[in-house]
Each structure stands twice: as C-alpha cells, then as structure tokens.
Amino acid sequence: MITFYEDALCENCYAVRLLLHMLAVPYTSHFIELYPSRANLQPRFRAINPLAELPVIDDDGVIIAGAAPILVYLAAKHAPGTWYATDTPALAQVTHFLTLAERLSATVGAARRHESGFAPTDLPAAHTGATRLLRGLDAHLWFAEQQGNAWLLPTPHPTIADLACFPHVILCEEGGISRQPYPALRRWCDRVKRLPNFLVMPGVFLTAPPKTE
Amino acid sequence: MPDPTTANLWHPIAACADTPVGTPQRTTLLDTPITYTLHGEGHATAASSSMLPVLIRYGYIWTSLGTPTADLFDIPEYAEPDRRRFNAASVSVHVSAPRAVENFLDMSHFPFVHTGILGAEPHTEVKEYDVETSAERDEVLATRCRFFQPQPSTAADQGAEVEYVYRVPHPNCAILYKSSVIDETRRDVIGIFVQPVSQERVRAHMLVCVLDDRSDDETIKRFQQTVFGQDKPILENQFPKRLPLDPRAESPVRADRVSIAYRRWLSAKGITYGVIPAA
Amino acid sequence: MSAHAWHPIAAARDLPPRHVFHAKLLGQELAVWRADDGFINVWENRCLHRGVRLSIGLNEGQELKCQYHGWRYASRTAGCTYIPAHPEGAPARRIANRIFPVIERHGLIWSALETSPDDLQTSLPPDPLVLREIAIDAPAAIVEPLLAAYDPPGHGPRPIFFIQPTDSESCVIRGVVPEPPPTGALALLRLHDAALCALRDVAEQRPAA
C-alpha cells in the first residue's frame, strides 16, 4: 500500500492525488501541513525527505519525492501505454512538459504561495515569467485543437504531462494571474475536469457535464 | 485612513501557536506595517511608528491602531477544559473583511461550494431562521439555523441536519455554534477572526473550539482548511470586493436575512473601511 | 473605440458546447456561452445575487448556473429561473442579468456595449481562416500603427485585422485571412502567429504615450 505525504492546499500534491485517483491506486494519506505550522520542517518528516518538500510517496519502502518523479513512477508502473509514453518522441515530449510544470511551479506557483502568505517571492518577476509560460502553453493548446488534439501530447489519451501542468494553471488566479487572456487553456481545463475520476481540491470548481447527443 | 470605529477595534494579527517565540515578525493591518514579537509566558509586544496596545486572547495576538473603547468579545466556551482549541487556518484572501465575514454567515452556498461536506444537492433549502440585532450586546445574532450536512465535522460518520447559531460580536469577527455530534447538549464553536490587511485584502484566522475526542489536530486542520480553501476562489471572484451596504445594491432573498442585518449593523456603526457605504 | 460599435470579442471556435468564455471589452467583463441550441449569450460577468463572476459558473446547456449559490439563469433572456435556497418559490421576475447584443459572423463573435448598433458592415466572406487571437498588454493605440505596418510573412495574402480593446491598457488582435489557399492552412496560421507574437513583443516594450 502506498503512503502519500501531502498537504490539502499544495498544488504539486494535487497533481499526484489526481493521478492516484484516475488510476484507482489505493493509498493512505498522511497530512503534512506546510502552512502555517510548517510541519514539513519537523525532524520526523525530514527523516522521510531530507529536502523537507512535498509530495512524497512511500510504496512499500520505495520512497519517491517530487511531483514529476512520482507521476513518472506511478504512470510507468500502472499505465505505461496511456498515462505514460513509451515511444521515443513521446517520451521526450512528456519530459518537456514535466520540466515546464516545474517552471510553472517556480513562477505561477510562487505567485500563489506569495499571495497566500506561505512564502514571499519577487512577485513582478514571478508574474513576468508566468505570462511567458502561460502564453506559450495557450498557443501550444490552440494549435493542438486545430489539429484535432485535446491534450498536451498528440495522443488520444491524456498523459502525466497534462496532470503535471494542470494544477498550476487551474490555481493561477490565487496568485493574482487571470486566466482570461488564455482561452485555449481555459478549454483544456474543462476537458481535464471531465476526465473519469477527476477530483477537485480547494480552489478548483467542477465544470458542467458534456453535452449528450 | 480607516474610519474611527475600525481604527479603535482590536484586530487579530497572528496565532500564537504559529508564531516563533522571541523573534520579531512582520504583518500588515489596515494598510499599516506592524512589527510584533511573541515573548514567553503569554506576553507580546507590537509597534508601527509607535508602540501599540496588545492583547492575547483565544490563542491569537490582537492589537489596535487606535484606542480600543471596549474589551474584546467573550467566548465562554473557550475556557471549558475538555475542548480542542487551536488555530485551524490562517488564509490570505483578496477580498474585503466584511465580504469574508458575510460568506461565513451564509448557509445557502454549502451544497455548491462545500459539496459533499457541508451540503449536497438536492438538500438546498434554507429554512426560516431568526435574526436579531442586540443593541445591548452590540451584536448580530442568527438562531434556529438548520441545514442538512453530509459530513458536519471530523467527528461525524454520517449526514445530519445540524443546527447553527451565528453570532457577530465584532465587525470583522463571527462565531458559529454548531450542534455537537459527540454531546447533543453542547455545541462546537468555530470562530473566524478577519485581519483587514487593506480594504480589499485580508488574512482570515479560524479558531476551532470543538468536542472531538477521536480526530487528531491534523485531521481537524485539514478539514477546516479544505472548507476555507473552497471559499477562497468564490470570494476572489466576487465584485465589487468591498461590501455594498446599500440595501438595493445586490439581490438578497429570505435566506440572506442575516447578511441584511449585518450590512445594516455595519452602516449604523458608521463603518466605511472595506465597504461601499450606502448613499 | 465607441461603446456603440461592434467589436469582435471571441472566435466562433472559442465557444464549444458547455463552456463559458471569459471576455472583456472596453473594461466590461463578459460571460459568453453557447447554449445547446446554438444560441450565443453575452452577459455581464456578475451574478445578480452576490456579485460572483458567471464565467466560473456552469454552462448546463439551456441555463447558466452560478458556482456560489446555484442560481440559474436562462439562455436568451438571462432571467433567473431557480434559487435553490428557496426551491418552492419562483424567483422575482425582475431578477434578470444584463445582456449585450451579439452577432456570429466571419468565424468571429461580435458584441457592443450599448444596445442595437446598426448592422455589422464588413466585406468579408462567410468562412475565412481565423488566426489565433493575440492578447497584448498594450493599448490599442500602440498596436494600431504596428499592425498597419504589418508585413505578411512569406508571400501569403494579407489578413484583415480587428483590434478588440479589452480595456485602456490592453487589447486583442483578431485576424482573418479572407481567401486562404486550399492547402497549407496550418503552416499559414503558424507563420502569422509567429509574426504577430514578435509584433506583440515590440508593442509591450513601447511605453504608453
């Protein structure tokens, strides 16, 4: 059984929680409060992850820390042909978006942590970086739609690339970054929300069910 | 400049349990930067350009930019020894303090915003409840508030119709009394103490003072932070961010009688900070 | 920049079923949604009850549902049809959201802030190639001369451009190619997109006069 160390309000934990639910992998949750008590800095959590960061999973002794490595671990183990890529170009594309998600966390996520009072940051720099990345992602998805693709990769099934980027995009307004200039991103968010076993977190609303013919 | 009523209030600025002892901390209150230090033995100091009055109450540090004309409101249940009492969350929200308080007083959003926890469709009806504004105690009180909740608290196994009492003893603080699932003769107490950072930004501190002998602190915190985290994006998508006090400004219905009374009470107090005063 | 004039506020493709598009025109926020019968609603982006943006609400096909208290508003009239806190009573008839005029034409959605301007006059064909919209953090007045000097990449046909003034500090370029070549549409879209993104960089570096 997987033990999942998480905080209910952490967007990187949300990416992992989404995949666990979509794969229907059972787990027990262990709440580590990042703010205001900063339980992640306590010795008992540092013993599990010396970086004192969330998320972490412990899969019967295999300890993996960080959203991207955990997503890779879970998807490669449980759903290699769908949620995780196996062919060469797709593997590189997935890696591209996992890296992009880290950059979103350092800009969009930093703005959110700043506005939430969790951690101060250089807000104008975070917003400038965020705008650049969100514009690029919005353009990518607009052209994907033009070619009949719904997801970040040109595959019929979504991948961990989508789940890695989604939390940052859907929570960006908590960092004072409007999603209004990014219509393709807003439509993609609706599509992610309509995936089977989708789960909200605080700050995320459901969308309407799809039109049935 | 805040209005005199607001300036002379006690305002919460931090939870003691989340404040390192002996190290100066910074925060902002009513657009004013404040430095405060929690010393040992339940004593704290605070200053802006000059020293400020300080009070430690209910696990929080309170201060004032003016001269407080009254003592802080009383919560007798806080002294009961068998209760779990702690700060469950301190959340920053881009909204005015009165909007945050009004949301706390609102039951009709439970099925839509706290789906599966504090409410669920089709149980959406807000039944008649009583509202009074007491001149003697200077507070707004809503009683006989009843609502069906799928998971009323961390101590609950199943859904139940719960009864609430809402009390607003301070323009930016509200207290909720909720029937306990552990002891039907007593009530859980949850307080929201809003720190107005500016007219349109707040830090909302949430006090729990509950009867729950089986959940650990982390579980209770997670529950309250989830609920609060669900309110945050609603509040941040509300316009205008300041609360309009003109009764014709928005479209209240019968379920909003407590909010109507709250807005009227703020008007009568002459509050202008964080609101759009009635013409 | 008249409130009485028609302005493009979205592309037709921006309004898939069950989606709520978040638009802005001359500082006015709009919730734009296509009902299941195809009707396009352009509404003020505020629930009448407690002021929450309707663009975070749910497009349920014939009604838009607010996220805060579940109030429902009907397509076409924007009248409130249901208040869940009081399921027995019908909502007061006066509770209706503000609606704006709308035309779907040339692959774009057009609206105006003041009601009933004259009919939209353009000489465009019905189904041109619609470029990706380019949102710019610079006023329309800065963007206009740059667009006038726009040099189409390659030797393709020149697009027709419209500038949607979102507010006094920002705008959106919406371009259409009236008679696109029979093949290579995607490559053409990419060429213009790259050129317009470069134009945006220039516009955003210019200090507003």
Side-chain angles (χ1 to χ4, degrees), chain B residues 17-31:
Chain B
D18 301 324
T19 306
V21 174
T23 322
Q25 308 288 315
R26 289 170 203 277
T27 191
T28 304
L29 174 67
L30 303 169
D31 305 292

Side-chain angles (χ1 to χ4, degrees), chain C residues 5-49:
Chain C
W6 290 104
H7 296 277
I9 56 164
R13 295 182 56 137
D14 285 331
L15 308 180
R18 304 297 177 101
H19 181 72
V20 187
F21 182 82
H22 184 179
K24 202 172 178 187
L25 178 61
L26 296 162
Q28 172 71 55
E29 283 204 22
L30 304 167
V32 186
W33 61 286
R34 196 190 291 269
D36 282 359
D37 64 3
F39 188 86
I40 296 168
N41 296 281
V42 181
W43 294 356
E44 181 168 343
N45 193 17
R46 268 187 94 232
C47 177
L48 294 160
H49 179 217

Side-chain angles (χ1 to χ4, degrees), chain B residues 3 15 21 26 33 51 62 69 77 99 115 132 134 138 154 171 176 249 265:
Chain B
D3 58 82
V21 174
R26 289 170 203 277
M51 293 301 284
W62 303 72
T69 48
E77 293 82 359
R99 284 274 196 203
T115 314
E132 60 169 310
S134 160
D138 192 21
T154 48
L176 146 62
W265 184 65

